[in-house]
Amino acid sequence: MNRDTLIGFLLIGLVLIGFSWYNQPSQEEMEAYQRQQDSIAAMQDKQVKKALVDAEKEKADSEAAAKKDTTALFYAALNGQSQDVVLKNGKVELTFSTKGGTISKAVIKGFKNADNSKDEVTLFDQKTQQLNFMLAGKQDNIITQDLYFTPSNQSDTTVTMTAQSAGGGSIVLNYTLGQDYLLHFSLQAKGLSGIFAPNYKEMDIEWSDMARQQERGFMFENRYSTLTYKEKNGGTDYLSETSEKVNEKIDETLDWVAFKNQFFSAALISKDDFQGGSLMTSIPQEKGTGYLKQFAAKMKTQFDPTGRQPSEFEMYIGPNDFRLIKDVEEESTFGKDLDLEQLVYLGWPLFRIINRWFTIYVFDWLTSWGFSMGVVLILITLLLKAITFPMVKKSYMSSAKMRVLKPKLDEATKQYDKPEDQMQKQQAMMQLYSQYGVSPLSGCLPMLIQMPIWIAMFNFVPNAIQLRRESFLWIDDLSTYDPIVEWGTHIWGIGDHLSLTCILFCVSNVLYSYMTMRQQKDQMVGAQAEQMKMMQWMMYLMPLMFFFMFNDYSSGLNFYYFISLFFSAAIMWTLRKTTNDEKLLAILEARYKENKANPKKQSGLAARLEAMQKQAEELQRQRMNQQKR
């Protein structure tokens, strides 16, 4: 940089400083600006308070309107004192409120809460969750959330909630808690048949909840929390986990609807099905609020106004454990194939098959030996490597054959350097591969073998509740990220932490990519080697992309990928060190002489590719001759 340039930059700096000083506001202007900002803040505060007042007024008006609907029939039941009734067993503790007569709080025992202070998880409480049954009479409506119920027949696992009407009729809710996570209950109208139209056969149900954050990783848990439902005689489906707001009208008949967190769910099941309705997932909540997103479901189900047949329901409130849910489902009295285990998402059909019939069995078997979850992940990796080793070795030997043949390929194709000679060059290479009995595509086999397993584990590990709160080495919780550095500010693409297992995964990915690229480079000929130089940069950029994707993922998944890539690199290094190139070339030369003596013995993929290229070349030659004519 010369003197004139330095003087130019200095003058520009002085001009900018002078301009800033000249344009700075005076003290009077600053005070006026501050008064303006204070006035705006006061106005905004006033608007917020007015909005809250309006919301409260709207809620009060709505409640008043609802009470007006039920006043004539249930005047006495509209007033009372709210009390709590608790049903419990060794697995869950459920609180019911006499105001509304429905479940108001659910606590799942035996699992650490969000801050590890208790061995219980509060799935929801009365502040965020509401279940409401609505019956439409000829003149008046009955809304259970408006009524005060009287508890009776109460024990640790049973209770009857009754709301009396003025004419002697009643709404009765009967609850029975099973031996673990299944709640059985029914709703029955007694002595009220005259208030309903003759053709009235359905009642409305409204169920809503604000999903609580139960895990450390807010974004990761949000990704696996969703409203899930099952169609009658069909499969399960779910609303988008990532969309800011989804409001979906359901025309199909449903068996159940579930509000699902990453590791815990509440599923409402109807014996007589849910007839259509609407399902909603609201805008995800902000990090730090303690909540993930809002769920809401509005549905219809069978109702007998004569009271002879109660409307029956079941509710599963428990962990998303595949085996456990299948066992609990057998306690259902509805005789339906509920498929509640689908709450544990295992991936698309191919990957689900791998997880359903391999990963889960192996995982359960290794866990039964008392190994820690980290050791289980290592042993699963070793088992998968042992199963795939014969195919990986065969693939590697194919690449090694191409490597030792590279000098001969260079010699056989050196005359085809022009762009228009590429077809002849490929044909010459295929002919040589065929003569030596080498398949050029076998080197891709390791990636093709591992990819379905990688994707299957991508779906299995984040949904394995067995990893929740399990520590291993430096990792406190295998179900969430393991930060080595944390900061308070969210940075786009990274978040507010650095995960050590993610860094290890990316480093091992670079190592494995380097070894793979070097092996492929050793077997490339001519222009292929030049193309490989560009491709290798893409391969090295992939670990960086994975870092941004997986920094927020569970340490168990990152640890599995790290161990898998580490052993893959170790296997490749061992095969390279134990392969004698001279002996391999001698074997290929012997095969070459044998094929030369008997050309009909040439077979395999290379021979088929060579035949296809000759056929394509012949067709092209015939077209050119026709064009000349």
Side-chain angles (χ1 to χ4, degrees), residues 133-137 140-143 171 187 189 196 200 203 303:
F133 300 95
M134 295 171 289
L135 305 171
D140 302 306
N141 295 329
I142 302 173
I143 302 174
I171 297 292
L187 184 148
F196 298 107
Y200 185 69
M203 68 174 167
F303 172 71

Side-chain angles (χ1 to χ4, degrees), residues 487-503:
W487 52 88
T489 305
H490 179 83
I491 300 176
W492 183 86
I494 298 178
D496 56 3
H497 66 274
L498 291 178
S499 174
L500 179 55
T501 51
C502 180
I503 294 172

Side-chain angles (χ1 to χ4, degrees), residues 400-414:
K401 292 173 184 178
M402 296 172 67
R403 184 180 70 246
V404 298
L405 287 176
K406 184 175 181 298
K408 296 185 177 294
L409 287 170
D410 288 336
E411 181 65 26
T413 60
K414 64 181 181 180

Side-chain angles (χ1 to χ4, degrees), residues 381-392:
T381 307
L382 290 174
L383 179 61
L384 291 171
K385 294 302 177 187
I387 293 173
T388 58
F389 179 75
M391 292 178 284
V392 171

Side-chain angles (χ1 to χ4, degrees), residues 554-572:
S554 72
S555 55
L557 182 64
N558 282 320
F559 182 73
Y560 166 77
Y561 283 158
F562 161 62
I563 294 297
S564 179
L565 285 168
F566 176 81
F567 282 120
S568 295
I571 290 170
M572 188 177 295

Side-chain angles (χ1 to χ4, degrees), residues 63-79:
E63 292 177 351
K67 288 182 178 181
K68 183 178 179 181
D69 286 337
T70 57
T71 297
L73 284 171
F74 289 89
Y75 179 83
L78 289 173
N79 299 283

Side-chain angles (χ1 to χ4, degrees), residues 312-418:
E312 296 186 59
F313 305 90
E314 290 175 337
M315 184 176 278
Y316 173 79
I317 301 172
N320 299 331
D321 184 322
F322 189 89
R323 295 281 190 211
L324 184 148
I325 292 177
K326 284 187 69 68
D327 293 340
V328 171
E329 186 176 326
E330 294 179 1
E331 300 173 20
S332 174
T333 59
F334 295 165
K336 291 184 173 185
D337 185 11
L338 294 175
D339 278 340
L340 277 172
E341 68 273 12
Q342 298 279 0
L343 289 170
V344 183
Y345 182 70
L346 297 178
W348 291 351
L350 171 62
F351 314 122
R352 181 175 180 82
I353 291 171
I354 295 173
N355 284 325
R356 174 67 181 85
W357 301 108
F358 176 80
T359 310
I360 290 178
Y361 279 99
V362 173
F363 192 85
D364 290 345
W365 176 64
L366 293 173
T367 304
S368 68
W369 286 84
F371 295 118
S372 69
M373 290 299 108
V375 173
V376 168
L377 289 175
I378 294 174
L379 292 176
I380 287 178
T381 307
L382 290 174
L383 179 61
L384 291 171
K385 294 302 177 187
I387 293 173
T388 58
F389 179 75
M391 292 178 284
V392 171
K393 182 178 180 181
K394 183 178 179 181
S395 173
Y396 175 83
M397 293 308 297
S398 177
S399 299
K401 292 173 184 178
M402 296 172 67
R403 184 180 70 246
V404 298
L405 287 176
K406 184 175 181 298
K408 296 185 177 294
L409 287 170
D410 288 336
E411 181 65 26
T413 60
K414 64 181 181 180
Q415 67 270 30
Y416 303 116
D417 288 337
K418 297 179 181 179

